Amino acid sequence: MNTLFFEPIAYWSPHFETCLEIMQGYIDSGASVTLIGCDASLPICDVNPEHDLSMCLQCISKRKQGLRMLTPVTSINYISLDDLFVGSDLPAAQRDWNFSTIEQLNEYKIDQYDIGMSVASSLMSYYRTPTLDFVSARDKLHKFLFASYRTYYAIKNYLLSERPDEVYIFNGRFAILRSVFRLCQQYAIDCFIHERGANIYKYSVTKNALPHDISNKVREIQAYWDKAPPDRRVPVAEQFYYDRAGGKQQSWFSFVANQEKGLLPECWDPQKRNLVIFNSSEDEFSSIGEEWKNHLYQSQLDGLRRIVADLSVQKNVHVYLRMHPNLTGVHNESVEGLYHITGNNFTLIPPESKISTYALIRAANTVMSFGSTVGIEAAFWGKPSILAGKSFYRELGSVYLPMTHEEVIRMALSNLEPKDRTGALMYGYYLNTFGRDYKYFEAHEIFSGRFKGKFVRPSIAIRSTCYLIDVLRLQKLLPLFIKSTTAGTG
């Protein structure tokens, strides 16, 4: 078995430690593994968009320290991405890199690789926006395109010459990483994508599909439910929702931990029909593929404007928009546009507000969401829940699925009954259990933990050098330092 790990970013924890965990498992079985990494040759990456020298040095050193912790070390073959790129028609390709709309960028492909869409996904995460300003983003756009293009051809050279049996990467959504996933699909090589699991003590592995693939996720949810002990699955599923409502940290930070239990808006009137809408941050799923495209609205902002406008004439209705706490501190056109929505029967609750998400769910007549987990949570808590977007739980049967904007409005004004919550239980069970238990990595927090009892860190020498670089940078002496240390080296 010839297994390749493409891990260009060692800086990210616990994702690099997860890679080490999986590699050690292969070595334990008697296999040798190959890891391809970046030695600062890429002009940009998702963890270091400014190509900061200090961060590159730490990333490289952390990778070296981590590989030394695998035993036996002789079972590891390390290759730098630099050694695989032998040139191509990149200059010709760069002449095509003149995009002015998301649609143009998303349509740009190399062979079967949706390079434009993958670059858009990375840029949207960097700028925290589902839209892009192609003037201000031009430099990073071109750097991500170059980095993705270079990675694509470098890994293509390796796959064609070495023909590994399987490949491991992280996440798969981001620009540089998605190139490898598409190559594996093109050459029928099994690709395994690792990500976080149900909690910080687990990691997940998805075979030949992005972790964001809705159809594949639904099959996984069903499989977990079918395999669960009948007497265990409902209590485990319910515990997921109890923990979430209680502000317990699961696989990610709790977004309600700082909210005040039971707090409702001062203007709340229980005599009215109260529709509570929960939006979500759109940047993560905006450039995944057609499966995530909202068939109802051009964007959440477009949908919210239309919904509030059409319900504004209903005097017995009040619409509340609870902005997702993850949007705290985010300033973009989509977020700012929410603050300009007005209506006599409309109240906006900002993301940093202490008003309780779960008090809103309990008090609402109807809940509407655009795909956030709160939509299926509402169904679990016995509320009619309308989904006006795409989500992993869309087809599980516990939420209402309007097919047109007019149907959204009709549902919002109807006395809907709560849907059967079996789908919510299936989803809760999956989110509370999915993934594999770590064997060598012990998580402490969401972003930290020990691998084989030790933190994987850059060497003391590199940390000291980076500290000096940071000090010199603050004193604006770094260019002089670099010039003096590289003089005469060619």
Side-chain angles (χ1 to χ4, degrees), residues 7 13 18 65 70 81 93-94 106 122 155 159 177 211 220 242 255 266 268 295 311 336 343 347 349 373 481:
E7 202 75 20
S13 291
T18 300
Q65 298 302 314
L70 298 176
L81 195 63
Q94 286 179 302
N106 283 343
S122 284
I155 301 300
L159 296 183
L177 297 161
E220 284 188 10
Y242 297 148
F255 291 117
E266 291 184 2
W268 189 272
H295 65 281
L311 292 177
E336 297 301 323
T347 299
I349 304 169
T373 308
F481 171 76

Side-chain angles (χ1 to χ4, degrees), residues 444-484:
H444 293 177
E445 296 291 343
I446 288 176
F447 296 116
S448 69
R450 287 183 168 90
F451 180 73
K452 293 186 175 182
K454 297 180 180 179
F455 288 108
V456 184
R457 290 171 172 162
S459 68
I460 294 175
I462 288 296
R463 279 183 275 164
S464 300
T465 300
C466 292
Y467 175 76
L468 175 60
I469 289 173
D470 291 340
V471 171
L472 290 170
R473 181 187 288 112
L474 287 173
Q475 297 178 359
K476 300 182 180 180
L477 296 174
L478 184 58
L480 181 62
F481 171 76
I482 294 175
K483 183 177 180 180
S484 66

Side-chain angles (χ1 to χ4, degrees), residues 194-373:
H194 65 85
E195 249 291 0
R196 295 181 182 274
N199 51 57
I200 62 174
Y201 309 107
K202 290 177 177 286
Y203 67 96
S204 65
V205 176
T206 306
K207 182 180 179 180
N208 295 331
L210 292 174
H212 317 83
D213 185 310
I214 296 177
S215 300
N216 187 70
K217 185 68 72 175
V218 171
R219 288 192 292 271
E220 284 188 10
I221 293 168
Q222 185 69 58
Y224 267 75
W225 184 256
D226 291 343
K227 293 177 182 178
D231 62 337
R232 181 172 176 263
R233 58 189 185 184
V234 172
V236 170
E238 291 177 335
Q239 194 61 51
F240 169 79
Y241 293 104
Y242 297 148
D243 288 345
R244 197 166 178 88
K248 181 179 178 180
Q249 177 181 292
Q250 295 167 314
S251 63
W252 198 245
F253 300 105
S254 170
F255 291 117
V256 302
N258 295 322
Q259 295 176 5
E260 186 175 328
K261 188 176 180 179
L263 183 63
L264 287 170
E266 291 184 2
C267 62
W268 189 272
D269 184 354
Q271 301 304 314
K272 291 190 174 183
R273 170 176 290 280
N274 292 297
L275 170 67
V276 180
I277 304 176
F278 295 89
N279 76 333
S280 57
S281 50
E282 295 179 86
D283 51 278
E284 182 177 354
F285 296 102
S286 290
S287 279
I288 298 295
E290 187 65 26
E291 193 178 30
W292 280 95
K293 186 175 181 179
N294 191 328
H295 65 281
L296 289 172
Y297 303 109
Q298 295 179 1
S299 65
Q300 290 184 34
L301 178 59
D302 167 57
L304 288 163
R305 283 170 172 164
R306 294 175 63 186
I307 292 166
V308 172
D310 283 6
L311 292 177
S312 63
V313 297
Q314 302 290 333
K315 295 183 178 179
N316 67 322
V317 173
H318 199 100
V319 181
Y320 294 87
L321 170 62
R322 203 327 167 182
M323 290 179 64
H324 198 292
N326 192 35
L327 294 173
T328 301
V330 175
H331 302 284
N332 59 50
E333 182 180 342
S334 299
V335 172
E336 297 301 323
L338 298 175
Y339 290 94
H340 295 288
I341 297 177
T342 58
N344 293 329
N345 62 345
F346 173 70
T347 299
L348 182 142
I349 304 169
E352 66 276 7
S353 171
K354 289 190 176 297
I355 288 174
S356 169
T357 290
Y358 294 98
L360 289 168
I361 291 174
R362 286 193 298 270
N365 295 97
T366 305
V367 167
M368 185 183 297
S369 69
F370 285 85
S372 63
T373 308

